[in-house]
Amino acid sequence: MMEKRITEIRQHIVAACERAGRNPSEVTLIAVSKTKPISMIEEAYDLGIRDFGENKVQELAKKHDQLIEKYGDNIKWHQIGHLQRNKVKQVIDKAVLIHSVDSLRLGLMIDKEAAKKGIVCDILIEVNIAKEESKYGVYEEDLIPLFMELIKLPHIRVRGLMTIAPYVTDPEKNRKYFSKLRQLFIDIKTKNVDNGHKDIYFNPDKFDILSMGMTGDYQVAIEEGATMVRIGTGIFGERNYSEQ
């Protein structure tokens, strides 16, 4: 069943890229494996999935440690859920990308913990593009000021933007949000940032990730420029809450 679901998703990714005149290789499929057992992650890995997203730091760290010996760096972990500052050190050297940075205070903590490990941490700025009160993320008007502060931190590399669009039954309703995020992405990428300045750590060529689109709307997100889509139910099926 999982094989069929993954095959269909890949076919839909190709079709969405064709409609948008894009190369499917530009889109990374992230399997959102929150609450899923190791056996299902291994099954997805055997079917060619290499990128997995977790909401909770403890779950990401545990799964990382359980599978590191078997898969090594071939399996990539993404921190996609809200990240508390006191949990940063648990994930800093385990996640290849933190999708959910939405404040300077969080950025400062990531920079501090990355410095301790002697690494540069790749991050995305989470944008609450629809201004939903129930969701995390910086509002559109606060994005540039936050970006300009984050690129002053030497152990952080801002790679792009992320959003969680509203839950809708008609994915077309989210097209305007994906389009707006892509425009913000372009505005930043082409912004005349003096990256030769000793206090600025920003390379426009490395600002290349748009993480947007989930099971219900990923095809529209890809048509609007997504380079990463985060799919849980579409790959693993509905969550069984009784097993949690």
Side-chain angles (χ1 to χ4, degrees), residues 139-150:
Y139 285 171
E140 175 185 353
E141 56 267 28
D142 299 319
L143 171 59
I144 296 298
L146 176 59
F147 166 79
M148 292 304 295
E149 290 300 317
L150 290 175

Side-chain angles (χ1 to χ4, degrees), residues 3 18 22 44-45 47 123 127 141 173 203 207 226:
E3 181 176 11
E18 287 178 350
R22 300 179 62 197
Y45 185 95
L47 292 168
I123 69 163
V127 184
E141 56 267 28
K173 291 183 178 179
N203 181 353
F207 190 81

Side-chain angles (χ1 to χ4, degrees), residues 214-231:
M214 296 163 64
T215 296
D217 56 18
Y218 70 92
Q219 296 183 66
V220 172
I222 290 170
E223 291 171 5
E224 294 299 329
T227 65
M228 287 185 174
V229 291
R230 311 177 305 271
I231 300 179

Side-chain angles (χ1 to χ4, degrees), residues 40 49 51 70 95 126 143 152 155 187:
M40 293 188 78
I49 301 293
D51 292 82
K70 184 172 184 178
E126 181 175 2
L143 171 59
K152 296 176 184 175
H155 293 276
D187 290 347

Side-chain angles (χ1 to χ4, degrees), residues 145-172:
L146 176 59
F147 166 79
M148 292 304 295
E149 290 300 317
L150 290 175
I151 62 174
K152 296 176 184 175
L153 304 177
H155 293 276
I156 278 181
R157 182 164 43 219
V158 182
R159 295 291 306 274
L161 306 178
M162 180 271 248
T163 198
I164 301 174
Y167 175 77
V168 292
T169 54
D170 178 7
E172 282 296 328

Side-chain angles (χ1 to χ4, degrees), residues 3-232:
E3 181 176 11
K4 180 182 178 183
R5 289 194 290 256
I6 290 175
T7 297
E8 288 180 349
I9 289 167
R10 286 180 171 144
Q11 289 172 345
H12 291 155
I13 288 174
V14 170
C17 285
E18 287 178 350
R19 290 193 295 272
R22 300 179 62 197
N23 188 326
S25 65
E26 298 173 8
V27 180
T28 298
L29 172 58
I30 299 173
V32 179
S33 49
K34 61 182 181 181
T35 76
K36 298 303 177 185
I38 291 293
S39 59
M40 293 188 78
I41 293 172
E42 291 175 324
E43 182 181 355
Y45 185 95
D46 290 341
L47 292 168
I49 301 293
R50 294 294 179 268
D51 292 82
F52 293 85
E54 290 288 338
N55 277 44
K56 295 183 178 179
V57 167
Q58 300 95 313
E59 197 171 352
L60 186 153
K62 182 179 178 181
K63 289 174 178 176
H64 171 278
D65 292 348
Q66 286 179 293
L67 293 172
I68 187 70
E69 188 173 338
K70 184 172 184 178
Y71 298 127
D73 292 336
N74 291 319
I75 190 168
K76 299 178 177 65
W77 297 98
H78 298 252
Q79 175 63 35
I80 61 175
H82 177 65
L83 180 58
Q84 296 174 297
R85 286 179 295 131
N86 64 352
K87 301 284 181 65
V88 168
K89 61 185 175 183
Q90 298 177 42
V91 77
I92 193 73
D93 56 350
K94 293 178 170 64
V96 297
L97 185 63
I98 296 175
H99 291 232
S100 49
V101 176
D102 61 356
S103 72
L104 179 57
R105 292 177 75 196
L106 176 57
L108 287 167
M109 182 60 73
I110 293 171
D111 183 70
K112 177 182 176 181
E113 295 298 333
K116 291 180 183 178
K117 297 283 187 180
I119 61 175
V120 175
C121 183
D122 285 344
I123 69 163
L124 304 179
I125 300 176
E126 181 175 2
V127 184
N128 187 343
I129 199 70
K131 294 188 173 181
E132 293 183 279
E133 291 185 4
S134 62
K135 288 182 179 164
Y136 293 101
V138 64
Y139 285 171
E140 175 185 353
E141 56 267 28
D142 299 319
L143 171 59
I144 296 298
L146 176 59
F147 166 79
M148 292 304 295
E149 290 300 317
L150 290 175
I151 62 174
K152 296 176 184 175
L153 304 177
H155 293 276
I156 278 181
R157 182 164 43 219
V158 182
R159 295 291 306 274
L161 306 178
M162 180 271 248
T163 198
I164 301 174
Y167 175 77
V168 292
T169 54
D170 178 7
E172 282 296 328
K173 291 183 178 179
N174 279 339
R175 187 179 293 276
K176 60 184 178 182
Y177 298 122
F178 297 142
S179 176
K180 182 182 289 187
L181 193 74
R182 181 173 184 270
Q183 190 56 56
L184 291 171
F185 172 84
I186 292 171
D187 290 347
I188 290 176
K189 189 173 178 67
T190 57
K191 189 176 178 64
N192 185 23
V193 175
D194 183 10
N195 58 322
H197 194 279
K198 65 181 178 66
D199 294 326
I200 298 293
Y201 301 90
F202 178 65
N203 181 353
D205 293 335
K206 292 291 186 180
F207 190 81
D208 54 2
I209 298 174
L210 256 182
S211 173
M212 58 186 192
M214 296 163 64
T215 296
D217 56 18
Y218 70 92
Q219 296 183 66
V220 172
I222 290 170
E223 291 171 5
E224 294 299 329
T227 65
M228 287 185 174
V229 291
R230 311 177 305 271
I231 300 179

